Amino acid sequence: MSETESHGKVVNATTKDLLDIDADLLSFDAACVTNIEIKIKNIADVEIPIKLDEKKLQLSPGELFSEVVTRKVSCEAEQVNFHLIGFNSFIDEIIIVSFDPPPT
């Protein structure tokens, strides 16, 4: 007779384990128009389907998505939000880009 015992722990991956996300304000002008550069890199070993606001993408392992997004916002705005969804909502994050309003 033999006996085997095993112990372990299952840990779900987080967004940071799958994607490297960077979003930077490039400009916020007096007309209250923002230009924000968003970079999302798949750092996982599998293809990841994502949706950033209304844009749908399939990111292969190691693939980088980079885009400058122009948005008109309230002149009192202090942040712009982008909704990121991936893997059938396993990834569900709000990317927040904070900034100071332009001087009037």
Side-chain angles (χ1 to χ4, degrees):
M1 182 188 269
S2 68
E3 185 177 311
T4 303
E5 188 174 318
S6 176
H7 297 280
K9 183 177 179 182
V10 175
V11 179
N12 287 332
T14 65
T15 302
K16 290 181 181 190
D17 296 327
L18 304 171
L19 300 172
D20 183 24
I21 302 168
D22 189 31
D24 294 307
L25 178 71
L26 300 178
S27 65
F28 186 14
D29 65 24
C32 306
V33 174
T34 63
N35 286 298
I36 297 169
E37 183 176 34
I38 298 176
K39 294 179 184 177
I40 301 172
K41 183 175 183 179
N42 179 352
I43 57 174
D45 294 332
V46 295
E47 185 173 80
I48 299 178
I50 64 169
K51 180 179 173 191
L52 181 65
D53 288 339
E54 298 304 316
K55 184 175 215 104
K56 293 182 180 181
L57 306 160
Q58 295 279 347
L59 291 180
S60 298
E63 185 176 2
L64 174 68
F65 163 75
S66 179
E67 184 172 280
V68 175
V69 178
T70 301
R71 261 197 203 162
K72 173 107 170 109
V73 297
S74 161
C75 291
E76 291 81 36
E78 295 181 357
Q79 68 184 36
V80 174
N81 298 337
F82 298 91
H83 194 185
L84 176 66
I85 298 174
F87 273 146
N88 295 327
S89 297
F90 175 76
I91 296 170
D92 190 348
E93 304 274 336
I94 301 295
I95 300 170
I96 300 171
V97 181
S98 299
F99 48 82
D100 294 323
T104 54

